[in-house]
Amino acid sequence: MTYLMQFLLVAFVLLIPMSCQQSKSSIQSKENKESKVAATPASMASDTLKKVVKTAAQWKGELTDLEYNVLREKGTERPNTGDLLKEKSAGVFTCRGCQLPLFSSETKFESGTGWPSFYQPINDVHVTEETDNKYGWNRVEVLCARCDGHLGHVFNDGPKPTGLRYCINSVSLDFVKE
Ligand SMILES: [Zn+2]
């Protein structure tokens, strides 16, 4: 065996693990970059949804008695009384408490219940859903994800495409016309 061949053999044996190491670390750094990029929209969403926390006195100063009762004390407006029940214009329904966009007019439908009804939220992370066993009913409460204001309930008897019916108090909403 010549020195040249020995040298090449040694170099070859040494280089294989090094090149493997390099390619592995470059994959890892690529993965890190990708996970950083993917994390950006989530952190932006959490900024948008930075909790709005106010005292009862502050809420009372900003809301009417009925709005306070529904949003902060989980009350329910009387059916067929809400200003936005028959609203048919194009636009966005926002939270009366904190103005977070909640429902699009495109998903509003006539449910015949006497409350504004939607088949899906404008963004899944803008509403939170909690089990509500009050009065012995097994219902799912819908709340604003930013200020925890009570909006209404969601049921499984809605129209296509979701089959859901978000039954929302008109006083929990504001309307921003397009
Ligand atoms: Zn809100």
Side-chain angles (χ1 to χ4, degrees):
M1 202 179 272
T2 65
Y3 283 116
L4 181 63
M5 275 179 74
Q6 274 184 336
F7 174 77
L8 283 175
L9 192 67
V10 168
F12 189 65
V13 167
L14 282 174
L15 278 172
I16 288 175
M18 275 174 70
S19 61
C20 284
Q21 205 65 31
Q22 267 181 345
S23 62
K24 200 177 167 190
S25 67
S26 74
I27 288 168
Q28 273 174 345
S29 73
K30 199 179 166 199
E31 277 172 358
N32 283 346
K33 269 179 205 156
E34 276 170 4
S35 68
K36 266 176 202 157
V37 169
T40 310
S43 61
M44 276 171 66
S46 67
D47 282 351
T48 315
L49 292 179
K50 196 159 178 266
K51 285 282 182 189
V52 170
V53 181
K54 292 179 185 178
T55 64
Q58 282 175 313
W59 284 122
K60 276 181 184 166
E62 291 176 17
L63 302 172
T64 66
D65 289 349
L66 182 59
E67 288 165 8
Y68 182 85
N69 173 251
V70 174
L71 280 162
R72 308 315 310 176
E73 299 177 320
K74 305 184 191 297
T76 302
E77 72 192 9
R78 285 186 297 117
N80 299 304
T81 59
D83 294 342
L84 298 175
L85 176 62
K86 298 213 156 53
E87 181 60 66
K88 286 188 166 67
S89 318
V92 173
F93 294 84
T94 60
C95 174
R96 179 81 56 107
C98 75
Q99 283 72 53
L100 184 69
L102 297 174
F103 298 96
S104 163
S105 57
E106 287 171 22
T107 64
K108 192 172 189 283
F109 67 96
E110 183 48 64
S111 64
T113 58
W115 289 283
S117 302
F118 306 85
Y119 63 76
Q120 79 182 17
I122 205 162
N123 186 327
D124 282 343
V125 300
H126 287 197
V127 299
T128 49
E129 294 175 10
E130 278 179 23
T131 308
D132 174 8
N133 291 316
K134 212 164 35 172
Y135 311 119
W137 298 336
N138 190 8
R139 296 187 297 176
V140 178
E141 183 189 359
V142 182
L143 302 116
C144 169
R146 187 157 69 180
C147 72
D148 293 331
H150 171 79
L151 304 174
H153 292 86
V154 58
F155 302 92
N156 287 319
D157 56 7
K160 285 178 182 176
T162 62
L164 297 172
R165 171 171 60 93
Y166 286 82
C167 183
I168 305 299
N169 289 281
S170 182
V171 293
S172 296
L173 301 172
D174 271 326
F175 183 61
V176 182
K177 238 182 198 177
E178 228 163 53

